[in-house]
Amino acid sequence: MDEIIVGKVYVLDDHIDTDQIIPAAHLVYSLSDPQEAQKYGQFALSGVPPEKAGLPGGKVPFVPPGETRSPFSVIIAGENFGCGSSREHAPFALQKAGVRVVIAASYARIFYRNAVDGGFLIPLESKEKIVPYFKTGDSVEVRIKENRLYRRADGAEFELKSPGDVLPIIQAGGLFAYARRSGLIKS
Amino acid sequence: MGMTITEKILARSAGKPRVNPGENVWLAVDVLMTHDVCGPPTFQIWKAEFGDQARIWDKNKVVIFPDHYVFTADPHARRNIRFLDEVAETYRLPHYYAAGSERYKGVCHIALAEEGFNVPGSVVIGTDSHTCSAGAFGLFATGVGNTDAAFILGTGKIWEKVPHSLKFRFEGEMPVYLTAKDLILKILGDLTTNGATYCAMEFAGSAISQLNIDERMTLTNMAIEAGAMSGIMAVDEITRQYLTARGVTEFEEFTSDPDASYRATFTYQVEELEPAVAKPSSPDRHAPVREVAGTEVTRCYLGSCTGGKLSDFVNAARILKGKKVKVPTFAVPATTTIARQLNTVQVDGQSVQEILLEAGCVVAPASCAACLGGPVDTVGRAVDDDVVISTTNRNFPGRMGSKKSQVYLASPLTVAAAAVSGKISDPRDWL
Ligand code: SF4
């Protein structure tokens, strides 16, 4: 796991559910065929209503039309990110689009588990609601060990919550890697 | 300090004398359930991670129901089903309910109950967020993703954070116009969609003990809509009868201790509640039906694990009998068993199936169908700016198909009242 992640942010509202992250009609593509799995990147966050897509102004496509990678590798969002279905396709789609870390005020349980156990991306929680302080396109630096987020333009600093006893799984890069490392399963 | 029913079940599964909320424990899984959307990636991850060592920890504990995208020509969806057919054959899985076979069942959560896999006191994990439905049988049930499921497939184990419990007491005599759907929509309105995140929702009270298993599953099914990890209620005579009829006679019954600790307790008097909807586009946008009465709808939908059970169709038939629907109305039984029961169970001397057909409903084969939109050829899927009223459990933007559509969630009674009047109507005016 990289300790420091630098990237541009894409800002979202509260309650981004899994149908917005990856609409159900797209769940049919293979997750294991590398070529076909690109489709998940292409349609990541395609269910977000346009006026909410990339706050504060909205109408910022997360992935440029026809492409499979997003220019935004950090997502900043409000409460209850990833609510809805249990589809692991959701953190997978974000990962395929190039997201490395999500910083939300809070998460739905299954999305959080999936992100961590699958090692798709790093879900972190902000101490306060930070959505109003950011606009889509801001450059940021996330320091995982220090639980801090910096806005590069002015150096403004925001505190994150520690992932607590889930950190070892995040650091290992997922549940299987963790289980091997700790001897839970034989490699 | 006493323990809640959830803590007792988790302690048993973790092999500990007691567990405390917030603590991470490794659980021994009793049933792993999956379906056609998450089954294939689960098996792929399992194979990739365990490699040559890949062994299924216990074939008798793996249950697979194709149910989501069954009646579609979509090539990717067909491929998922073929994949499961092959897996079941290769590993000789005893509990596979193949699409297109005699054994085909339909919606996993209801099928799991009907086939007797919901054993009180056990731990049921499924690759579907509504796996919490099984909690209606006094067991711990929750949904997980494919990686967690693949890990279980190889090890029989899962880590979980022991949830805090919230208690919901419903007291009084259930009025004829009220259903479990109205109760859970009320809770969601009060709690919001993240009001129970990482909690267990425990249901109790004199009104709950009057509910049949179908209705109880409507409550536990939608626990996830408040972000809960699980929903649960204790076993009683109604549960025992349901289980005995399905050959399940050996199980452990747990109950919450009187001095167990709850994060909060909510008490409702059912006579004071009224028929409700969740307005577009979130299940917590609760409103009494009379507040939105008169809203014109373009489509009505009866189906899903929440609203496609036998009792749901019986309730709808109470209003539909002898009338005609004014807007396209779809009736999709959750399982093939329910589809058969519609022909035999009667309301006022006429079979439910006949009532539905005579009213002009489209009765489709058992599956998830338009509950989650699905491929474009899915029956009942919302198109363009449809205004739908539905007995399903989610109305997030685009959930039932078109992103422009608006979906109201309601009880089967309220949906039937809308079907015969073409607009949202209070079912009390139609009973
Ligand atoms: S009926 Fe709907 S909610 Fe239930 S399992 Fe199927 S898609 Fe999910």
Side-chain angles (χ1 to χ4, degrees):
Chain A
M1 181 194 75
D2 290 337
E3 303 291 354
I4 296 176
I5 292 171
V6 173
K8 280 197 180 151
V9 300
Y10 192 75
V11 184
L12 291 164
D13 210 351
D14 294 337
H15 305 299
I16 299 297
D17 66 82
T18 54
D19 285 287
Q20 295 180 61
I21 298 174
I22 182 76
H26 300 304
L27 299 182
V28 291
Y29 313 126
S30 166
L31 296 158
S32 55
D33 177 280
Q35 201 55 38
E36 201 176 316
Q38 302 295 331
K39 292 242 183 217
Y40 285 102
Q42 184 181 342
F43 294 112
L45 290 174
S46 64
V48 179
E51 67 279 9
K52 302 266 189 186
L55 299 177
K59 305 212 169 107
V60 184
F62 177 63
V63 180
E67 294 185 23
T68 59
R69 300 282 289 185
S70 169
F72 307 100
S73 59
V74 178
I75 288 174
I76 289 183
E79 302 282 355
N80 205 21
F81 188 84
C83 57
S85 84
S86 70
R87 64 188 70 146
E88 197 158 303
H89 311 69
F92 182 83
L94 294 177
Q95 182 198 38
K96 281 286 149 203
V99 172
R100 309 209 28 223
V101 51
V102 177
I103 299 166
S106 66
Y107 292 91
R109 166 185 163 270
I110 302 181
F111 179 89
Y112 184 83
R113 283 191 74 97
N114 286 344
V116 169
D117 283 354
F120 298 115
L121 50 86
I122 303 176
L124 297 172
E125 281 180 12
S126 55
K127 274 236 164 112
E128 319 282 338
K129 282 205 168 198
I130 58 170
V131 167
Y133 302 112
F134 285 88
K135 49 184 198 313
T136 295
D138 283 351
S139 276
V140 297
E141 184 171 316
V142 188
R143 300 206 179 165
I144 304 207
K145 268 213 179 134
E146 298 163 30
N147 300 313
R148 291 210 187 272
L149 166 70
Y150 297 91
R151 184 165 51 211
R152 298 188 106 193
D154 58 358
E157 190 181 322
F158 301 85
E159 222 183 315
L160 308 175
K161 289 187 193 163
S162 157
D165 43 17
V166 173
L167 187 63
I169 305 180
I170 294 177
Q171 282 172 326
L175 180 62
F176 279 97
Y178 167 77
R180 280 197 195 93
R181 214 180 252 196
S182 58
L184 273 167
I185 56 176
K186 291 186 200 77
S187 41
Chain B
M1 173 74 75
M3 285 198 283
T4 65
I5 178 170
T6 301
E7 288 151 21
K8 287 183 185 179
I9 295 169
L10 296 185
R12 181 203 64 89
S13 176
K16 295 182 161 200
R18 71 169 296 138
V19 295
N20 297 301
E23 177 185 351
N24 276 320
V25 291
W26 285 94
L27 302 176
V29 175
D30 295 296
V31 168
L32 173 65
M33 188 268 297
T34 188
H35 52 50
D36 55 310
V37 174
C38 295
T42 293
F43 276 91
Q44 279 158 352
I45 296 170
W46 167 74
K47 259 196 177 159
E49 293 287 348
F50 288 96
D52 297 341
Q53 304 286 312
R55 301 270 177 286
I56 296 173
W57 107 99
D58 189 340
K59 288 181 193 178
N60 265 310
K61 294 181 173 173
V62 179
V63 189
I64 308 176
F65 299 104
D67 60 354
H68 276 59
Y69 301 147
V70 177
F71 302 103
T72 170
D74 184 285
H76 295 102
R78 311 286 338 141
R79 181 180 62 186
N80 274 344
I81 296 208
R82 270 202 316 278
F83 181 99
L84 288 181
D85 288 345
E86 283 166 25
V87 161
E89 193 177 320
T90 309
Y91 299 102
R92 304 198 174 282
L93 298 179
H95 306 306
Y96 179 56
Y97 295 84
S101 78
E102 287 265 297
R103 282 168 64 79
Y104 173 66
K105 290 285 302 179
V107 180
C108 56
H109 310 296
I110 307 308
L112 207 57
E114 287 174 349
E115 295 297 292
F117 290 105
N118 289 345
V119 178
S122 65
V123 169
V124 174
I125 307 288
T127 60
D128 190 283
S129 62
H130 291 102
T131 304
C132 50
S133 312
F137 289 81
L139 57 81
F140 176 82
T142 195
V144 297
N146 311 332
T147 300
D148 282 332
F151 192 82
I152 295 170
L153 202 54
T155 64
K157 295 262 188 313
I158 183 172
W159 69 268
E160 282 291 358
K161 196 189 280 286
V162 177
H164 287 273
S165 289
L166 301 172
K167 192 164 210 163
F168 299 86
R169 304 194 64 89
F170 285 95
E171 303 294 353
E173 186 98 20
M174 276 297 273
V176 287
Y177 52 80
L178 211 64
T179 72
K181 189 57 156 294
D182 301 299
L183 308 189
I184 191 71
L185 289 178
K186 172 68 180 158
I187 291 179
L188 289 168
D190 291 350
L191 224 54
T192 76
T193 51
N194 57 345
T197 301
Y198 245 113
C199 290
M201 293 171 70
E202 184 177 324
F203 302 94
S206 56
I208 301 295
S209 46
Q210 295 152 36
L211 300 179
N212 65 25
I213 290 290
D214 280 2
E215 287 282 271
R216 292 177 188 193
M217 285 198 284
T218 299
L219 292 176
T220 49
N221 176 279
M222 290 184 71
I224 182 68
E225 260 53 75
M229 191 169 177
S230 58
I232 195 164
M233 56 194 78
V235 169
D236 65 8
E237 200 42 41
I238 291 178
T239 331
R240 287 181 213 112
Q241 276 176 14
Y242 183 100
L243 290 165
T244 310
R246 285 154 187 83
V248 182
T249 50
E250 273 179 44
F251 48 82
E252 209 171 339
E253 293 181 19
F254 293 94
T255 50
S256 294
D257 293 324
D259 59 342
S261 111
Y262 293 89
R263 181 168 271 179
T265 299
F266 301 77
T267 305
Y268 299 90
Q269 201 65 40
V270 287
E271 294 89 346
E272 291 167 9
L273 301 179
E274 36 178 332
V277 297
K279 294 184 285 184
S281 293
S282 182
D284 61 357
R285 297 200 65 215
H286 175 271
V289 171
R290 59 187 165 72
E291 262 180 32
V292 290
T295 307
E296 298 205 357
V297 296
T298 59
R299 175 175 295 241
C300 297
Y301 190 89
L302 299 155
S304 87
C305 49
T306 326
K309 297 174 261 84
L310 179 62
S311 309
D312 299 315
F313 291 108
V314 168
N315 271 331
R318 283 162 61 202
I319 288 183
L320 293 173
K321 180 147 202 293
K323 303 194 190 67
K324 293 275 182 229
V325 299
K326 288 223 170 102
V327 290
T329 299
F330 298 84
V332 189
T335 67
T336 50
T337 306
I338 297 166
R340 283 193 295 274
Q341 286 167 331
L342 294 183
N343 289 299
T344 52
V345 173
Q346 300 198 328
V347 171
D348 294 339
Q350 195 179 15
S351 81
V352 176
Q353 176 85 2
E354 264 175 41
I355 294 172
L356 293 171
L357 290 174
E358 273 182 21
C361 301
V362 175
V363 181
S367 88
C368 294
C371 171
L372 82 165
V376 284
D377 58 352
T378 303
V379 64
R381 194 176 193 276
V383 290
D384 298 334
D385 42 15
D386 260 334
V387 179
V388 187
I389 187 164
S390 171
T391 61
T392 51
N393 43 28
R394 285 192 177 139
N395 58 348
F396 299 125
R399 167 73 181 185
M400 294 190 74
S402 163
K403 248 201 266 183
K404 285 188 284 174
S405 63
Q406 305 216 337
V407 179
Y408 289 81
L409 304 177
S411 80
L413 292 172
T414 304
V415 171
V420 294
S421 58
K423 44 188 191 264
I424 299 181
S425 312
D426 196 314
R428 282 172 289 192
D429 299 337
W430 292 88
L431 279 164

